[in-house]
Amino acid sequence: MCGIVGYIGEQQATPVILEGLKKLEYRGYDSAGIATLSSGESAIRRSEGKLVNLENLLREHPLSGVIGIGHTRWATHGRPSEINAHPHKAGPVIVVHNGIIENYLQLKEQLKQTGHIFKSETDTEVIAHLIEEKLKTENGFDIAVRQALAELHGAYAVCILNEKEPGTLIAAKLGSPMVVGLGTGEYFVASDIPAILAHTREMVFMEDGEMAVFSNGEVSFSTIAGEKLNKAARHIDWSPLMAEKGGYRHFMLKEIHEQPRAVRDTIAGRLLESDGDVYLEDLPFSDRQLAAVKRIVIIACGTSWHAALVGKFYIEGYCRIPVEVDIASEFRYRNPVINESTLAIVISQSGETADTLAALREAKSRGAMNMAICNVVDSSIARESSGVIYTHAGPEIGVASTKAFVTQLTALYLFTIRLGRATCSIDSPSGQRMIAALKKVPALLEETLKLNDHVEKLAKKYMNARDFLYLGRGKNFPIALEGALKLKEISYIHAEGYPAGEMKHGPIALIDEEVPVVVLVPKNSAFDKTLSNMEEVIARGGRVIALCSEGDQEVGNRAESIIEIPHLNEDLDPLLLSVPLQLLAYHISVLKGTDVDQPRNLAKSVTVE
Ligand code: AGP
């Protein structure tokens, strides 16, 4: 997830782009850059780190020109550094890109063979070289761009300049957002509305497979294949703050709604469907090394720890390797049994959590193989691990983790397939089945998000409770823990998660008509048992909110309230169940008037022990 801004008009481009990038910094902030064209020559400034570094650089080395493109980066391929920062240039072509080009390695190889020399580790640079290559045989800039884009697999929003056509800017999109702002004699392009809201409120939203060519004071829209389009502008009356949150009231709600995209990006380019296997680009372990693993320890904190608990079910269930799950702050103080045949997996959204980093170092010092599941590229944990699976959730701003959690589950599922294939515990047809199921998740998450209004009504009904209980069995027990954590951290209501079968060993004493009990009871192998546990709660006057599979009348007739989720399978239902629990916590918090995105006493990244 990166931010793009483009400008063409009569003003100096750099200040317009820089101001726009500041509004997009929430989309990425590990490096940034701007390119402008002036008298047929390009100039580029790039710098590592936050935008303020680029701003300082531009103060020392200003850029002039009335046409330009800029980028703020959230690294996916290649560590954050000046060399990997956008724009990327090949010959006369300059590109900024948001998205992931899945076939970039293959294209890079082909281009190298025709003499192209690459300077960065990014997938984006391939786009610039490919257009340069097409320009050799095509006179038209736009035709060369169309031909190059047709060869890309994956997702992109791109802005492109060509020194040889200094009055033209091209933008195109497939799978990543892009909006065009219409000014008077000038045009703006951006990944998101806030970047250009100060200049215009008349916007054209580009759809997948569309391209815009800005030249001679005009814009023409077409499909990438070349078919002309008439696109209507929309008037945007959002306030600037609303715009930054994509029109959502809070970052948390925006991030909840980003989950289909986040899972799609985490899967993108990694599925080897015909082999029933996956390709994890930053995991350097051979099949032999993976087959030598005798024991796995997964270590994490908070929400990431809940993901780890689900991972135990995946790995033990499919790969038959014992998995222990540890809270990072406990791990290093209990003299853990770790040796060379242990694989330590640390999970962290931020990659900077002090306890998790210390646990990784502890595991390494004891000779364990190690790897991370991490969202922030080149964070301390990612750098210090021998291998990493990046979750491509994009920056998570809300303190309450949502999209990071669901993508951590996705990464654990992908790793399970890889490990199972390496250890021969998953054969090719089983791998294919697992992949086929995983591919359904983004669309089903979209379906699940439609529950928002229903969950908001339930929030009104239950918001005044003093305590909540969350019950689940098997893989859904960690989801119950996660649901309870979400509620307590943002609404400050006391909530506990329990394995449903454990209730009668003590916690059932808490049940009365004041306590809402959220029961996770989708159709699965534990359904009957969970239903009985639900009955035990109802028999004691508890107010049950049941999360069940769509159309389940058995549950529907018994529970006080129900939330029906689309049914996928026992492995992946936890991802779908997470969404209404996040929404329930969110709406209760909004109704109670707490600070949803920055709840009291909490920090997004806990960098102290
Ligand atoms: C969850 O909503 C919290 N923000 C918190 O539990 C978080 O998951 C925990 O601090 C771990 O952070 P990490 O994933 O960045 O390491």
Side-chain angles (χ1 to χ4, degrees):
M1 203 165 130
C2 307
I4 289 179
V5 184
Y7 175 76
I8 180 165
E10 287 170 2
Q11 302 184 52
Q12 281 298 308
T14 305
V16 174
I17 294 171
L18 198 59
E19 282 313 304
L21 291 178
K22 281 185 192 161
K23 296 283 187 304
L24 294 184
E25 228 181 347
Y26 76 89
R27 299 180 64 84
Y29 38 73
D30 61 44
S31 56
I34 295 182
T36 55
L37 285 179
S38 179
S39 314
E41 287 201 5
S42 69
I44 301 179
R45 304 282 181 268
R46 303 186 297 186
S47 70
E48 189 182 332
K50 295 223 169 198
L51 211 51
V52 65
N53 298 350
L54 179 68
E55 211 171 356
N56 292 336
L57 179 71
L58 284 164
R59 222 167 274 133
E60 282 171 39
H61 304 283
L63 281 180
S64 65
V66 294
I67 170 168
I69 55 179
H71 189 269
T72 178
R73 181 166 186 250
W74 173 262
T76 58
H77 294 73
R79 76 210 143 81
S81 64
E82 190 191 328
I83 205 82
N84 287 331
H86 301 211
H88 290 283
K89 184 169 186 290
V93 180
I94 307 154
V95 175
V96 291
H97 163 226
N98 167 31
I100 298 173
I101 304 304
E102 293 171 13
N103 57 337
Y104 84 104
L105 284 174
Q106 191 190 324
L107 291 168
K108 193 169 178 173
E109 257 337 287
Q110 288 165 12
L111 287 160
K112 274 183 177 170
Q113 277 162 26
T114 53
H116 289 260
I117 296 167
F118 286 80
K119 299 182 207 86
S120 77
E121 304 156 307
T122 64
D123 50 342
T124 303
E125 198 184 345
V126 160
I127 307 173
H129 285 274
L130 196 56
I131 299 170
E132 184 197 13
E133 186 62 26
K134 302 293 177 197
L135 277 171
K136 288 180 188 162
T137 49
E138 263 309 330
N139 289 325
F141 177 27
D142 68 315
I143 298 176
V145 170
R146 289 180 206 284
Q147 289 180 346
L149 296 182
E151 290 186 27
L152 304 181
H153 299 170
Y156 57 77
V158 281
C159 276
I160 310 156
L161 297 177
N162 177 3
E163 284 174 335
K164 304 253 168 72
E165 276 197 40
T168 304
L169 168 69
I170 295 183
K173 88 154 221 127
L174 185 76
S176 300
M178 178 143 278
V179 58
V180 171
L182 311 178
T184 312
E186 58 184 357
Y187 294 98
F188 309 83
V189 186
S191 305
D192 204 352
I193 297 167
I196 53 180
L197 202 60
H199 303 280
T200 178
R201 287 178 176 260
E202 301 310 309
M203 312 233 176
V204 177
F205 291 87
M206 290 180 65
E207 301 295 335
D208 283 349
E210 291 182 357
M211 189 161 125
V213 180
F214 305 88
S215 196
N216 299 321
E218 287 183 359
V219 57
S220 74
F221 292 99
S222 60
T223 64
I224 288 169
E227 191 189 326
K228 289 253 168 261
L229 296 170
N230 280 322
K231 289 189 69 75
R234 256 175 58 196
H235 182 80
I236 300 296
D237 52 12
W238 293 355
S239 72
L241 193 66
M242 253 172 99
E244 217 158 295
K245 293 172 183 158
Y248 292 101
R249 191 163 163 196
H250 296 97
F251 279 110
M252 182 184 176
L253 188 61
K254 175 169 178 276
E255 287 158 7
I256 290 171
H257 281 82
E258 279 176 349
Q259 290 179 114
R261 192 274 310 149
V263 170
R264 231 173 245 129
D265 282 357
T266 304
I267 298 170
R270 289 173 165 171
L271 304 181
L272 305 172
E273 295 185 53
S274 51
D275 297 341
D277 203 343
V278 298
Y279 169 67
L280 299 170
E281 63 284 7
D282 295 305
L283 207 65
F285 305 134
S286 65
D287 284 8
R288 249 180 73 192
Q289 282 173 304
L290 288 173
V293 171
K294 296 273 174 293
R295 217 172 123 252
I296 294 176
V297 184
I298 316 183
I299 313 152
C301 299
T303 289
S304 299
W305 177 68
H306 297 153
L309 293 170
V310 178
K312 175 182 166 76
F313 281 92
Y314 288 161
I315 296 171
E316 288 189 340
Y318 283 102
C319 308
R320 312 307 299 152
I321 298 174
V323 179
E324 205 173 315
V325 177
D326 245 307
I327 290 182
S329 54
E330 294 292 316
F331 173 77
R332 55 200 285 248
Y333 299 109
R334 66 172 183 83
N335 195 12
V337 182
I338 300 275
N339 57 35
E340 294 74 19
S341 62
T342 310
L343 170 65
I345 305 176
V346 290
I347 306 181
S348 174
Q349 184 285 128
S350 60
E352 301 295 346
T353 301
D355 285 319
T356 311
L357 182 58
L360 169 67
R361 289 177 180 159
E362 178 70 24
K364 281 173 81 172
S365 74
R366 290 169 186 250
M369 266 173 84
N370 63 87
M371 59 174 271
I373 292 175
C374 196
N375 194 35
V376 180
V377 173
D378 228 29
S379 53
S380 303
I381 286 172
R383 278 199 315 272
E384 293 193 26
S385 303
S386 303
V388 51
I389 305 175
Y390 284 115
T391 52
H392 294 308
E396 196 177 60
I397 312 283
V399 164
S401 197
T402 53
K403 60 178 180 171
F405 177 64
V406 168
T407 55
Q408 285 166 350
L409 299 183
T410 307
L412 283 159
Y413 189 77
L414 288 170
F415 176 68
T416 302
I417 300 176
R418 181 73 280 278
L419 183 65
R421 296 295 285 125
T423 56
C424 299
S425 51
I426 297 177
D427 61 15
S428 176
S430 309
Q432 286 167 351
R433 277 193 295 277
M434 291 175 78
I435 288 172
L438 183 60
K439 282 175 68 184
K440 293 184 182 154
V441 170
L444 291 176
L445 284 171
E446 265 153 22
E447 277 301 302
T448 312
L449 283 165
K450 292 182 186 155
L451 290 164
N452 183 57
D453 294 353
H454 173 60
V455 176
E456 189 177 3
K457 284 189 196 121
L458 295 182
K460 283 185 189 138
K461 187 168 170 187
Y462 295 102
M463 64 174 279
N464 291 319
R466 231 188 45 199
D467 308 279
F468 268 70
L469 290 175
Y470 288 70
L471 306 180
R473 278 176 175 258
K475 297 180 191 86
N476 295 331
F477 162 52
I479 305 303
L481 290 175
E482 176 60 7
L485 176 62
K486 287 293 84 100
L487 188 71
K488 55 189 149 193
E489 72 181 327
I490 59 170
S491 76
Y492 318 144
I493 295 175
H494 171 246
E496 298 297 336
Y498 282 104
E502 182 65 10
M503 283 296 288
K504 51 186 160 306
H505 300 285
I508 204 160
L510 296 171
I511 305 283
D512 62 23
E513 53 290 342
E514 302 295 321
V515 181
V517 183
V518 179
V519 185
L520 309 185
V521 58
K523 283 274 189 243
N524 61 22
S525 56
F527 175 76
D528 291 340
K529 298 266 181 261
T530 317
L531 196 63
S532 306
N533 300 138
M534 190 179 103
E535 295 284 13
E536 289 158 13
V537 172
I538 294 168
R540 282 151 188 90
R543 305 176 66 188
V544 167
I545 307 166
L547 269 67
C548 60
S549 300
E550 243 161 24
D552 187 337
Q553 305 220 331
E554 217 177 340
V555 174
N557 292 336
R558 289 169 163 85
E560 181 177 292
S561 301
I562 57 163
I563 302 174
E564 296 180 67
I565 60 149
H567 178 55
L568 179 50
N569 68 28
E570 197 155 337
D571 287 337
L572 296 167
D573 280 351
L575 283 78
L576 307 181
L577 287 164
S578 301
V579 176
L581 298 186
Q582 296 163 352
L583 288 169
L584 185 65
Y586 171 77
H587 287 299
I588 290 180
S589 310
V590 171
L591 290 164
K592 289 184 92 73
T594 58
D595 187 343
V596 172
D597 283 333
Q598 289 176 327
R600 69 184 182 202
N601 306 339
L602 290 173
K604 183 67 187 160
S605 179
V606 186
T607 52
V608 288
E609 277 196 57

